Amino acid sequence: MKPDNTADALRMEVRSWLHEHLPRQWRKAMTGCDQEAFVRAQREWFYKLAAAGYATPHWPQGWPGGGRPLAEQKIIYEEVARADAPRLILYFVSLYHAACTILEWGTQEQKQLYLPRILKGEVWCQGFSEPNAGSDLASLKTRAERKGDRYVINGQKTWSTMAQYADRCLLLARSGKSDPPQGGLSYFLLDLRSKGVSVRPIAQITGDDEFAEIFFDDVEIPVENRIGADGEGWAVAQSTLSSERGLTLVELTQRMRYALPRIVATMREQGLIDDGARRRELGELIPKVHAACALADRYLLKRISGEEAPGDASVVKLYYSRVLREFVSLGMRCGGLSAQFQEDFTRGGGQETGNWPVDFMNSYNWSIAGGSDEVQRNIISERLLRMPREPRNWQLSGERS
């Protein structure tokens, strides 16, 4: 088989650009800094990536860097992971969830209005989860009551990433009654500066406040800011949630692979490099990390060839969350007593920074975020293995506690 010179050229191009433009010693600058400094650094990094076309390779042709095939997008994300570049946490929802949803479901007017603003640095957040509606998203209670040419929104959202810095929100709310409940949801593009919106950061165990909760008190949204038809919100939301799959999983698994030397460095620091038990644990972990990378690669290749099956992404996501937990747990054990003390965390890093207490706590996010492990197992069993669905009501199954 002849080598793919185009792919090699792109890889070297991206690698060279990252070598020149990657913020120097960004980890040191982002360790222990406040959230305001982090937001400034994220904006600066976003503008560099956007200008080079590396922030939006997944957008259609005609947009900066857009129109690249998935195979080329994969190369860009692999090189970003290899360079240990900052993750664009501030703009993740903007670049993926918001942009891809608007591109697929938005009117021409909505595309012309919002997409250029994203490229200029407008920040979006996601208003899906609620205090009593996380994995069971269809049970959400936030109301959207139609009054003439406007909807009036009342309710609460939680776990909204970087909402305290966002300009707009992808909002899923209940606009009508339906059985099943998915049919009564509508989807809105909300200006967070609207009257009646309150945003409150959530303090986390790590000391970070990456998430926030949003409160809506008689907030008015024009009908033209609905995306999709009334009651069609569940279908739109599924597109939103699927927009990050593939490339994100490739980047995350590759980041974990390139972070394996951090465990080795910890072993050297603690005098454990010749410890048989720890070396055996590392030897068991390494093939699992490489297997996670291979699963992500295989999944993306199936997407490229059009052979993706329902549940394929869940396999990768579930496996990644389990291997990540093993990765950071080994780092904690190798770090000994010193790894039990929480240090200042690195904003913009992944879940494998080498700050083991923080990494360990953050690793649990991936058992929940983007669909809990239990939800992923249900998807795999029902959609991929075609096993019987769980009864909607446990009483119908004849089971008793």
Side-chain angles (χ1 to χ4, degrees), residues 202-223:
I202 299 173
Q204 298 164 239
I205 193 173
T206 59
D208 195 3
D209 54 356
E210 176 186 350
F211 303 106
E213 51 189 347
I214 312 173
F215 300 88
F216 308 97
D217 184 11
D218 289 335
V219 178
E220 295 186 354
I221 301 180
V223 170

Side-chain angles (χ1 to χ4, degrees), residues 61 76 120 187 219 231 265 311 320 344 370 380:
Q61 191 170 9
I76 294 173
K120 291 178 180 178
Y187 198 116
V219 178
Y320 168 75
D344 291 332
I380 292 167

